[in-house]
Amino acid sequence: DGGITQSPKYLFRKEGQNVTLSCEQNLNHDAMYWYRQDPGQGLRLIYYSQIVNDFQKGDIAEGYSVSREKKESFPLTVTSAQKNPTAFYLCASSLRQGALQREQYFGPGTRLTVT
Amino acid sequence: EDQVTQSPEALRLQEGESSSLNCSYTVSGLRGLFWYRQDPGKGPEFLFTLYSAGEEKEKERLKATLTKKESFLHITAPKPEDSATYLCAVQVTYGGATNKLIFGTGTLLAVQP
């Protein structure tokens, strides 16, 4: 089955620790995205990548870092600099757009709790 | 500022009671509007893409329509399994060559048997 996998489903960390969230897709999509979802707010874009070895900051990139060494993988690191890291993190992918945006497909999410 | 507003925030229906969810937007240069369904604790599931005013898409009991300022998700004779949060997202140009999605906060739909 083609799709997007995120691991782990739940993650607990102590304040001050960096943590890396995994995202893998086998849809052969070029573009990949990271969002965070907080209660009462819409999904907000953290980082995105259109091709391998290239990525750009989204609206709320401070305190996060990413890499895109393979087409299938787009891991997100939540660093200790992120002030409010507790959230539901969603990874998505889409075909690289031409004139029209193609839909984004989402993974199951990782719920990160930092205490 | 680009903005997407969904209403109502929450909606409770009886099974079989049809209704509509609204997504209004103010963006510069709409390139597409997307509807997603999200179950608790899961990632959003893609439902529809609409590109131009007047366009309509249907899937089972759901029908999405688009005007120049808003989109509606019509739910006909809903069943309890339609209970979920429905998200609307608008695509805008971002950073020159890239399109990004701006999401609304969603409508939480509960269908009572």
Side-chain angles (χ1 to χ4, degrees), chain A residues 74-88:
Chain A
F74 192 41
L76 173 75
T77 296
V78 184
T79 74
S80 56
Q82 166 51 229
K83 290 182 171 49
N84 297 297
T86 294
F88 189 48

Side-chain angles (χ1 to χ4, degrees), chain B residues 41-79:
Chain B
K42 297 189 177 181
E45 174 191 345
F46 170 72
L47 293 174
F48 303 110
T49 308
L50 301 166
Y51 290 112
S52 56
E55 190 174 359
E56 299 182 352
K57 294 274 181 73
E58 281 189 72
K59 180 180 179 181
E60 296 180 354
R61 294 176 293 282
L62 300 176
K63 179 180 175 180
T65 62
L66 180 65
T67 71
K68 289 186 177 179
K69 293 184 178 181
E70 59 191 348
S71 176
F72 291 94
L73 185 65
H74 306 278
I75 303 178
T76 302
K79 298 181 178 182

